Amino acid sequence: QPLIPDGVAPPAPQQPEGSWWPKVPVLVCGAATMLAGAVSLAACLARFGTKGALYANVCILWFEAINIVPAFAHLLLHDAGLERIAGIDLGPPSPARTVAIFMHSDEGLHRLAESAVGIFVACRAQEYKWCFLYFRIALLLVEHCSHTFNKNLVFNGEKLAKNAPGRFRVICHAAILGLPFVVFGVARGLQQTQGL
């Protein structure tokens, strides 16, 4: 086995072409989290209606749960999920490979920390839930603009992460974060219609 210099991440273990591990379990967890969040929101609205805006708390918890799934993959996988899940060829051991894996693992830590704040707001500081939702939408917009216009994963005209599950992240996150405002608007409209 060739020697690998100190501080350089070794290549990820080779897996057969089309291997299901670990991509399929991560995708199944993500899909199950999306489904559980949708069912929880529907159950919350059916049981409690719109009084107290408990649905907003459910959406925050749903958003944070869907944010945590890839965070664990980034933290626990040898390649931070870049090769084995996103399908990005990082090449042989090199400083660039090591930095990419380190930074993606660090993103996992940041996602966990952000999620802890959201869970705290939804469970213990509910008076800040609307401010938190505005903040997360603004952060998502800034992140999307940065990834679109500033730095992206395109090299020589080719999208490096064209098969990554995270390519749908902005759409899923925006939908979940926007749902409380849609529910609030519909409820307000119905109240005004009934008041006439």
Side-chain angles (χ1 to χ4, degrees), residues 50-133:
T50 57
K51 291 181 180 154
L54 188 59
Y55 58 88
N57 300 39
V58 172
C59 284
I60 291 171
L61 291 171
W62 181 11
F63 171 78
E64 299 306 354
I66 201 69
N67 204 26
I68 286 173
V69 171
F72 281 118
H74 296 327
L75 281 172
L76 300 176
L77 293 176
H78 177 78
D79 65 348
L82 290 170
E83 288 183 316
R84 295 190 293 170
I85 294 178
I88 299 172
D89 180 13
L90 296 177
S94 67
R97 176 190 173 86
T98 302
V99 169
I101 292 171
F102 173 82
M103 295 303 292
H104 219 60
S105 296
D106 215 32
E107 181 187 343
L109 286 173
H110 290 289
R111 283 192 188 191
L112 285 177
E114 290 171 353
S115 294
V117 173
I119 292 167
F120 177 77
V121 168
C123 296
R124 302 294 294 170
Q126 297 177 22
E127 63 271 23
Y128 299 110
K129 64 184 159 199
W130 293 105
C131 295
F132 180 79
L133 285 166

Side-chain angles (χ1 to χ4, degrees), residues 21 88 144 177 183 191:
W21 178 262
I88 299 172
H144 179 66
L177 292 172
V183 171
Q191 287 173 351

Side-chain angles (χ1 to χ4, degrees), residues 9 17 39 64 68 70 82 108 118 130 134 152 161-162 171 179 184 187 189:
E17 190 68 33
V39 168
E64 299 306 354
I68 286 173
L82 290 170
W130 293 105
Y134 284 124
N152 55 40
K162 61 184 172 230
I171 295 167
L179 272 172
F184 178 81

